Amino acid sequence: MTDGFMGPPWQMDWRLSALAALEALPVHVREMVYAARAELVAAKDPYFRGIETDAGLPDGMRVGPVLSTEPKGARALFFDRGSGWLKYTFVRRCEDPQIVVEEIFWLEADPSTEPPAEP
């Protein structure tokens, strides 16, 4: 045990439904999720509070609150330029703080093979 609040790297836990959704994703998308995970567990503040605090995230990633009325509530980390996101909460405990991933979602881009309809 340590004295006081622990810092990064944080522990990360996944709800079973989120873990199943992760395992169902294509390999290249899972790699993006693993990169997002690496950013979260190493962040000084996993909630990325303040102005431009997520500016250090790689291109195509950003973090925002799920509900603006709950500043200490769930967050969404967007990846793949907003095509995917994972919803997480940060459980701030002295002995074992951790990030809990509640949901994960990715929308596969489906480029249209037909030309756009003319008006």
Side-chain angles (χ1 to χ4, degrees):
M1 249 192 280
T2 62
D3 293 331
F5 188 69
M6 296 171 58
W10 308 109
Q11 298 295 318
M12 182 175 269
D13 194 12
W14 295 73
R15 286 198 173 174
L16 291 178
S17 58
L19 190 58
L22 171 67
E23 292 171 351
L25 293 173
V27 174
H28 74 283
V29 178
R30 275 185 269 155
E31 293 299 323
M32 287 186 272
V33 173
Y34 297 148
R37 178 197 179 280
E39 293 293 332
L40 275 179
V41 299
K44 184 177 180 181
D45 178 6
Y47 275 158
F48 295 92
R49 288 178 279 236
I51 299 170
E52 296 296 318
T53 54
D54 62 354
L57 289 174
D59 285 343
M61 283 187 204
R62 63 183 171 82
V63 174
V66 173
L67 294 173
S68 62
T69 56
E70 292 185 32
K72 293 184 180 181
R75 289 286 194 262
L77 184 144
F78 299 93
F79 62 92
D80 193 17
R81 306 211 180 282
S83 294
W85 50 262
L86 57 92
K87 179 180 156 188
Y88 69 94
T89 55
F90 180 58
V91 182
R92 195 172 195 90
R93 298 183 290 228
C94 287
E95 290 185 25
D96 187 24
Q98 69 180 15
I99 297 167
V100 179
V101 177
E102 298 175 356
E103 292 180 60
I104 187 166
F105 174 81
W106 180 69
L107 179 63
E108 184 174 7
D110 186 26
S112 177
T113 55
E114 297 181 25
E118 292 185 27

